[in-house]
């Protein structure tokens, strides 16, 4: 029969052996909660929708040409993207 001390030691050694395996250490493996996943999906959908709205915007096209940046936005769309301005349509 093993003593209580020996059982705890074996449990610690077993846990250490598991943590040494790739992907088994919960402290090193960040698990995204369902709320975080949903928020990430919402952000991705909002970014995709913004890209669709800015594709036909002449001011955004001019800003992209001017700055040589394919992701540049006009002032109105940028303000809407960061949530500080009025919603800008197409």
């Amino acid at each position: 029969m093993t003593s209580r001390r020996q059982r705890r030691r074996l449990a610690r050694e077993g846990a250490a052996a598991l943590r040494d395996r790739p992907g088994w250490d919960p402290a090193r493996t960040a698990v995204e909660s369902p709320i975080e996943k949903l928020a990430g999906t919402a952000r991705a959908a909002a970014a995709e929708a913004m890209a669709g709205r800015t594709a036909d915007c002449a001011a955004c096209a001019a800003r992209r040409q001017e700055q040589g940046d394919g992701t540049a936005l006009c002032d109105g769309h940028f303000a809407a993207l960061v949530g500080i301005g009025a919603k800008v349509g197409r």
Side-chain angles (χ1 to χ4, degrees):
M1 178 159 211
T2 58
S3 71
R4 191 174 197 185
R5 179 181 290 174
Q6 289 172 331
R7 286 192 305 251
R8 284 187 299 197
R9 182 182 53 78
L10 288 172
R12 278 194 310 270
E13 289 173 356
L18 277 176
R19 280 192 299 271
D20 288 341
R21 289 183 175 180
W24 276 80
D25 188 359
R28 285 188 257 163
T29 305
V31 177
E32 197 173 33
S33 75
I35 299 293
E36 291 170 337
K37 286 181 185 179
L38 184 60
T41 303
R43 282 190 301 271
E48 189 173 321
M50 177 61 72
R53 287 192 302 269
T54 63
D56 297 330
C57 177
C60 286
R63 179 70 54 93
R64 288 183 189 114
Q65 181 69 28
E66 172 187 306
Q67 294 182 354
D69 179 5
T71 61
L73 300 173
C74 68
D75 292 339
H77 281 120
F78 181 75
L81 178 70
V82 296
I84 59 173
K87 302 262 185 219
V88 178
R90 292 182 145 252

